[in-house]
Amino acid sequence: MTSSYLDEPLSINIFPDLMHEEDLTPDCGVEIDSICDEIHSAVKGWGSDKARLIAALGSTTPEDRLKVALRYKDLHQTDLKSVMKKEVSGDFGTAMKYLSLSPVEAECAMIKDACKGIGSHQLVLYSILCGRSNKDMQLLKKVYYKMYTKDLTSVLRSELGGDLWKLISACLQAAEEPFDPDFHTMEKAREDADEIWKKGQGRFFGTDETKIFKVIVLSPPKYLKMVNDAYADKYGYTLIKAMEKELGGNAEKAAIFTIKMRFKPYEAIAETIKLACAGMGTDELLLTCCIIRYQDLMAHVNFAHEELFGKSVHDRIRSECGGNYKQLLLALMHKVCPEDA
């Protein structure tokens, strides 16, 4: 059930395990070579065969794409990203660009795109940066610098401000504590719940967000649930409701997303997909990032989405998207979460 809490000692990793091994020569096999050759054939001559590109890259998993990005250059002496940039455009082209990269490089490119122009796409930024495991965050910062020779923390500091920056700066530290039953006790949970109240609702003037964010960012999922339960028992509502009372705008959304990624990650992701499709028009960048980044989790996310909203992620894509872009997102979904015949 989506209402159940994630009973894991630490936050989930989004990147495939192979990504953390940082093996530049993984065993690719004939299937990866076949995908690379199919892409190469699809872009030969004038124009490109979009259906063949969708069939090739839409049939991949995040781990496959790590291998394809490395192997394509070996086989065809050019970066796959450069090929996609030349051959496809629009929302479809943006998605194909991300699929042409390894999962961590794709997230770095998403962050860079979210920071383009005047202002930043804060929904994309917090959905990538909040609620991450220590391992994922450390690798993300390392690869961002390698790709763009810029420190990710400095880049985001120039893009963000206020409460949202305070939250994301805490997330960037990659300092979630390991669960220790001798340290993370119910007594400590009650103390932290009281501290959150004192720095928020119980404060005579203003809110001390730094302390609140420290608890929700550094706490392992199992302990954060204990704090949440202690807070609800004493003050009558959950930490999520407390964030709604204390914060506003994207800082509120980001704080709630961070909490939910600690113990209700599939629900948090499902709600972000719904957010990308809310109101007038679709937020294609946010939707693209969600479907690609969370592909490995989509069987769980789709179940949560159906429970929350009464429709599948597949049906949401059909109602919000069109053309090759729709077909690509559906292909990615079907790879890991096929619909009933």
Side-chain angles (χ1 to χ4, degrees), residues 163-197:
D163 292 340
L164 183 58
W165 165 245
K166 291 177 184 177
L167 175 61
I168 287 181
S169 66
C171 294
L172 287 165
Q173 294 174 27
E176 180 185 330
E177 300 166 348
F179 183 78
D180 180 350
D182 293 328
F183 177 73
H184 295 106
T185 63
M186 200 63 224
E187 182 181 359
K188 178 172 171 53
R190 294 188 189 97
E191 291 173 359
D192 278 338
D194 288 342
E195 190 70 11
I196 290 173
W197 170 264

Side-chain angles (χ1 to χ4, degrees), residues 131-192:
R132 299 303 293 268
S133 70
N134 293 346
K135 286 173 64 177
D136 275 5
M137 181 59 77
Q138 289 162 357
L139 185 58
L140 182 64
K141 291 192 294 183
K142 178 180 177 180
V143 174
Y144 191 93
Y145 186 83
K146 183 178 179 181
M147 288 179 70
Y148 304 118
T149 62
K150 292 182 179 180
D151 175 67
L152 180 57
T153 300
S154 298
V155 169
L156 294 168
R157 182 67 187 91
S158 68
E159 293 287 336
L160 305 171
D163 292 340
L164 183 58
W165 165 245
K166 291 177 184 177
L167 175 61
I168 287 181
S169 66
C171 294
L172 287 165
Q173 294 174 27
E176 180 185 330
E177 300 166 348
F179 183 78
D180 180 350
D182 293 328
F183 177 73
H184 295 106
T185 63
M186 200 63 224
E187 182 181 359
K188 178 172 171 53
R190 294 188 189 97
E191 291 173 359
D192 278 338

Side-chain angles (χ1 to χ4, degrees), residues 14-19 21 26-28 32 60-70 101-103 295-296:
I14 303 300
F15 297 142
D17 290 341
L18 187 62
M19 201 77 248
E21 295 173 15
D27 181 18
C28 293
I32 298 299
T60 59
T61 64
E63 185 171 314
D64 291 337
R65 293 193 289 276
L66 166 61
K67 296 175 180 179
V68 169
L70 293 169
L101 298 166
S102 74
Q295 187 191 15
D296 273 346

Side-chain angles (χ1 to χ4, degrees), residues 94-107:
T94 298
M96 292 296 279
K97 177 184 73 173
Y98 297 150
L99 294 174
S100 71
L101 298 166
S102 74
V104 65
E105 289 172 334
E107 288 201 9

Side-chain angles (χ1 to χ4, degrees), residues 11-12 126 129-133 171 176 257-258 261-262:
S11 295
I12 57 174
Y126 82 63
L129 297 163
C130 295
R132 299 303 293 268
S133 70
C171 294
E176 180 185 330
F257 178 81
T258 303
M261 282 300 290
R262 289 286 185 253

